[in-house]
Amino acid sequence: PPGRKVLIVYAHQEPKSLNGSLKRIAVEELSKQGCSVTVSDLYAMQFEPRATRNDIVGCLHNSEEFNYGMEAWEAYKRGGLSSDLIEEQKKVQEADLLIFQFPLYWFSMPAIMKGWMDRVLVQGFAHEFPHCYDSGLLKNKLALFSFTTGGSREMYAEDGISGDIRYLLWPMQHGIMHFCGVKVLAPHICFAPEYVSEEKRQEMLIAWAQRLKTLWKEEPINCSPEWYFK
């Protein structure tokens, strides 16, 4: 609906890729609905995935022994995080919906996107015990993981060689997003685009565009282990 804000965190090196097309379609379709859409194109931004001392501007809380989690938390509280992190946090803060668009690497997200999670979702900003899971600090937001796989749908079936695709979503959807209080929409998975016909790839793009038309009517998944491991 008009006025909704969407952040697409996108990790692919090639704009002409299927991931690039999925991202482009999301921008077009959501903009058409009157949403304002921001894209963090991680490769184009040369986003730094490593969590280092450089993320903290100025003096350390404890200069004797570097504890990244604690230093980032303290820096967040005093506005002393590096400017690239402050910028990403501002985008997250404003977004009603976060879409993560990426190719699956080794049963997970690419390093550059994992680095985004590691660095941006700082304690004090995204979670702060006991404010985690349902009371995480990013509650009232939605997230959707949209990704492509190398393996076929059969390989990722419950009795397939790779196991149920939902097992892989547990660390991403539950361990990161739900931990921060974000509600999760069903993932959008394009299986093995490299190994199907051009026609099938077009169908994948059309299906995504169709889903986006009614996305705001969707209910989040059940945020419990049952959804992943039942």
Side-chain angles (χ1 to χ4, degrees):
R4 296 275 174 100
K5 291 193 156 87
V6 182
L7 171 62
I8 302 176
V9 182
Y10 163 68
H12 200 287
Q13 309 86 338
E14 174 51 66
K16 295 201 223 42
S17 63
L18 189 77
N19 273 276
S21 299
L22 290 160
K23 182 262 296 175
R24 193 183 67 249
I25 284 169
V27 172
E28 287 167 7
E29 188 53 52
L30 292 164
S31 300
K32 214 185 288 175
Q33 296 174 18
C35 302
S36 72
V37 185
T38 305
V39 178
S40 285
D41 181 341
L42 300 181
Y43 285 103
M45 292 156 70
Q46 301 195 333
F47 186 81
E48 167 61 81
R50 296 169 298 182
T52 68
R53 163 73 180 88
N54 298 337
D55 293 351
I56 289 92
V57 176
C59 296
L60 291 176
H61 190 69
N62 172 5
S63 52
E64 297 300 298
E65 193 178 317
F66 185 68
N67 174 330
Y68 183 84
M70 195 203 48
E71 293 294 349
W73 182 25
E74 291 295 338
Y76 174 74
K77 288 189 286 194
R78 62 177 166 80
L81 286 171
S82 60
S83 57
D84 59 338
L85 294 191
I86 290 172
E87 203 167 311
E88 293 307 299
Q89 288 175 345
K90 195 173 345 131
K91 295 176 194 173
V92 171
Q93 197 68 67
E94 289 177 355
D96 298 299
L97 167 66
L98 308 167
I99 296 178
F100 296 95
Q101 181 64 60
F102 59 98
L104 195 69
Y105 280 9
W106 294 118
F107 277 27
S108 186
M109 57 188 95
I112 199 165
M113 184 176 280
K114 177 57 163 57
W116 185 94
M117 306 279 181
D118 292 349
R119 294 179 63 228
V120 174
L121 302 175
V122 169
Q123 184 171 354
F125 169 67
H127 57 91
E128 189 156 5
F129 194 81
H131 301 294
C132 52
Y133 290 117
D134 289 341
S135 62
L137 301 179
L138 301 181
K139 54 182 180 296
N140 305 327
K141 296 187 188 300
L142 291 169
L144 192 167
F145 286 82
S146 170
F147 60 96
T148 57
T149 68
S152 65
R153 189 184 291 271
E154 294 69 44
M155 289 169 79
Y156 284 110
E158 203 173 355
D159 51 3
I161 192 160
S162 299
D164 193 326
I165 192 80
R166 292 201 277 191
Y167 302 157
L168 319 189
L169 291 161
W170 173 253
M172 298 190 256
Q173 293 187 163
H174 186 79
I176 303 177
M177 285 296 121
H178 183 205
F179 187 83
C180 297
V182 180
K183 292 189 170 60
V184 180
L185 296 175
H188 199 85
I189 309 167
C190 292
F191 288 98
E194 282 174 273
Y195 304 106
V196 300
S197 66
E198 186 51 45
E199 193 183 359
K200 278 269 183 292
R201 277 196 291 274
Q202 285 309 313
E203 283 170 22
M204 289 175 177
L205 297 176
I206 292 164
W208 177 227
Q210 281 307 113
R211 180 177 175 191
L212 288 162
K213 286 188 201 315
T214 55
L215 196 66
W216 301 102
K217 296 195 176 80
E218 292 185 16
E219 285 298 313
I221 65 166
N222 156 21
C223 283
S224 70
E226 285 84 72
W227 188 89
Y228 300 89
F229 303 110
K230 62 168 194 269

